[in-house]
Amino acid sequence: MKLAVVGATGLVGNEMLKVLDERGVEFDELLLVASERSVGKKVIFQGNTYTIISMQEAIAAKPDIAIFSAGGGTSLEYAPKFAEVGTRVIDNSSAWRMNPNNKLVVPEINGHVIEDKDRVIANPNCSTIQMVLALAPLHKAYTVKRVVVSTYQSVTGTGKAAVDQMNNERQGIEGDMVYPYPIDKNVIPHIDVFLENGYTKEEMKMVNETKKILGDDTVQVTATTVRLPVVGGHSESVNIEFEKDFDVDEVRNMLSKTPGIVVQDNPAINEYPMPLFAHGKDEVFVGRIRRDETQPNTLNMWIVADNLRKGAATNAVQIAEYLIAQKLVHA
Ligand code: A2P
């Protein structure tokens, strides 16, 4: 099994290597790929020294799987080139997610949609993944009608340059600005570009990707996505209206039995999910589970996950594990 990590020098790429190591993913050859700027750089992984190679070298090596986290433009241009040589691409960018020909996968929810013919498989948006993981079992039980979500997103979602901007501001150093405003001591209600309808692209990703992953176009989502000076993960305040009524204890129970979810919900001891504790973890943490008392069949909850883990690297590696387990690549 020849595995390529494209964008290996980036924040997600770096997390990907940690996740591959922790989960003991087996491969015969590992190719670490980045832009021309990084070609020739050395990276130590599992005690071995790897040299960063170019896209062209990686394509020529015909990897079985390539996990991409190198931005949308790079994916649009290069994923088809890898696919052409027989590679299965798992793509972290938004480039292929809403293309009807590409599967959008959270393995615990819809791994089964992957078919032998699929060459470029999309990894959903980080904010969407953590929300749908909690929505999926509840949708099965009570049918989600409408979701109102506000996010509190980590700077790590923007990449290394954003973490640098925040750290520079904290140290009083003048440096490059990735955001239109200072991020330290600030809250910016603007993630990705603004669209004609007044929403941001990040907000519309949550709207559209949720429907595609749940396989149900009737699920209505409205989102406000917000950037905070936080590094450990994304948090979300989620209000869900169901068709059917529910029991709050049953919801808590159902979520605690869902693979990949940890319920942290004990107000008596100030227990609730926070990015400080989700940092570096693969699970999605859910708490503050309570009935919305203003209308029937409606629930409030608070969802936190490390966006570089389940929101990106972990989910992508789980897709790779799924492909291997289903014998869709040779192991
Ligand atoms: P490089 O470090 O050489 O720029 P982040 O989102 O944390 O900034 O990381 C982005 C990742 O995507 C980095 O590994 C970066 O490599 C990689 N990357 C960016 N542009 C390209 C490209 N055109 N081809 C290959 N990798 C790229």
Side-chain angles (χ1 to χ4, degrees):
M1 217 280 280
K2 225 186 249 187
L3 175 66
V5 174
V6 177
T9 53
L11 284 186
V12 176
N14 186 41
E15 208 67 25
M16 202 90 76
L17 294 178
K18 285 191 209 159
V19 173
L20 287 168
D21 182 45
E22 284 170 18
R23 297 176 75 93
V25 175
E26 288 183 16
F27 48 80
D28 302 304
E29 209 180 312
L30 179 67
L31 308 168
L32 301 187
V33 191
S35 80
E36 294 296 338
R37 290 181 292 274
S38 304
V39 170
K41 275 190 190 161
K42 307 285 181 203
V43 173
I44 295 171
F45 177 63
Q46 294 180 332
N48 299 314
T49 304
Y50 291 86
T51 305
I52 299 287
I53 62 168
S54 69
M55 289 296 225
Q56 281 70 23
E57 282 175 88
I59 295 165
K62 300 185 180 175
D64 297 291
I65 298 179
I67 311 182
F68 269 57
S69 195
T74 311
S75 293
L76 268 184
E77 183 180 349
Y78 287 100
K81 295 184 178 161
F82 278 83
E84 239 168 63
V85 298
T87 303
R88 291 204 194 260
V89 174
I90 301 165
D91 183 37
N92 255 303
S93 81
S94 62
W96 303 95
R97 290 181 190 148
M98 292 312 297
N99 188 321
N101 298 323
N102 296 87
K103 304 290 165 56
L104 182 66
V105 175
V106 178
E108 297 95 326
I109 301 174
N110 67 341
H112 58 270
V113 300
I114 300 174
E115 296 170 88
D116 190 40
K117 68 174 170 63
D118 293 320
R119 279 284 172 271
V120 180
I121 298 156
N123 200 53
N125 164 262
C126 44
S127 310
T128 310
I129 293 179
Q130 65 185 71
M131 183 174 78
V132 284
L133 199 66
L135 286 183
L138 304 180
H139 185 49
K140 261 196 194 141
Y142 314 116
T143 312
V144 175
K145 263 171 80 173
R146 178 169 182 260
V147 178
V148 183
V149 54
S150 297
T151 69
Y152 305 70
Q153 297 185 219
S154 156
V155 289
T156 57
T158 317
K160 260 187 185 156
V163 180
D164 290 345
Q165 178 182 331
M166 187 182 73
N167 289 337
N168 284 340
E169 287 168 11
R170 286 183 174 172
Q171 292 167 54
I173 299 169
E174 249 186 63
D176 290 340
M177 300 271 288
V178 182
Y179 300 119
Y181 297 97
I183 184 63
D184 191 33
K185 300 180 181 152
N186 201 8
V187 167
I188 306 179
H190 170 186
I191 299 186
D192 210 331
V193 295
F194 278 100
L195 303 172
E196 270 184 11
N197 65 357
Y199 287 82
T200 64
K201 199 168 163 197
E202 183 83 352
E203 289 161 353
M204 295 315 292
K205 286 174 197 167
M206 295 190 80
V207 171
N208 297 319
E209 294 180 21
T210 299
K211 294 178 193 213
K212 183 163 175 178
I213 300 160
L214 293 179
D216 187 344
D217 273 344
T218 67
V219 174
Q220 298 297 311
V221 178
T222 186
T224 303
T225 57
V226 182
R227 189 74 67 190
L228 274 81
V230 162
V231 292
H234 293 350
S235 306
E236 298 176 346
S237 163
V238 188
N239 178 271
I240 314 153
E241 184 186 359
F242 297 103
E243 291 281 354
K244 298 178 202 147
D245 201 8
F246 56 84
D247 175 80
V248 173
D249 284 334
E250 193 181 64
V251 167
R252 219 173 265 124
N253 201 18
M254 205 178 290
L255 290 173
S256 62
K257 287 187 181 137
T258 302
I261 289 185
V262 173
V263 171
Q264 292 179 329
D265 194 23
N266 191 350
I269 55 164
N270 296 340
E271 186 196 58
Y272 32 73
M274 285 182 284
L276 194 60
F277 304 114
H279 196 186
K281 308 247 171 64
D282 288 318
E283 294 88 358
V284 169
F285 300 89
V286 185
R288 303 295 322 277
I289 301 167
R290 63 215 192 275
R291 185 176 284 279
D292 174 348
E293 295 175 334
T294 66
Q295 66 171 12
N297 307 351
T298 307
L299 184 79
N300 279 310
M301 57 189 189
W302 176 249
I303 305 173
V304 179
D306 186 333
N307 52 297
L308 295 180
R309 287 277 172 146
K310 184 58 182 167
T314 305
N315 198 68
V317 171
Q318 286 172 323
I319 295 174
E321 289 172 339
Y322 186 89
L323 294 175
I324 295 165
Q326 297 299 314
K327 308 224 177 317
L328 292 167
V329 287
H330 14 118

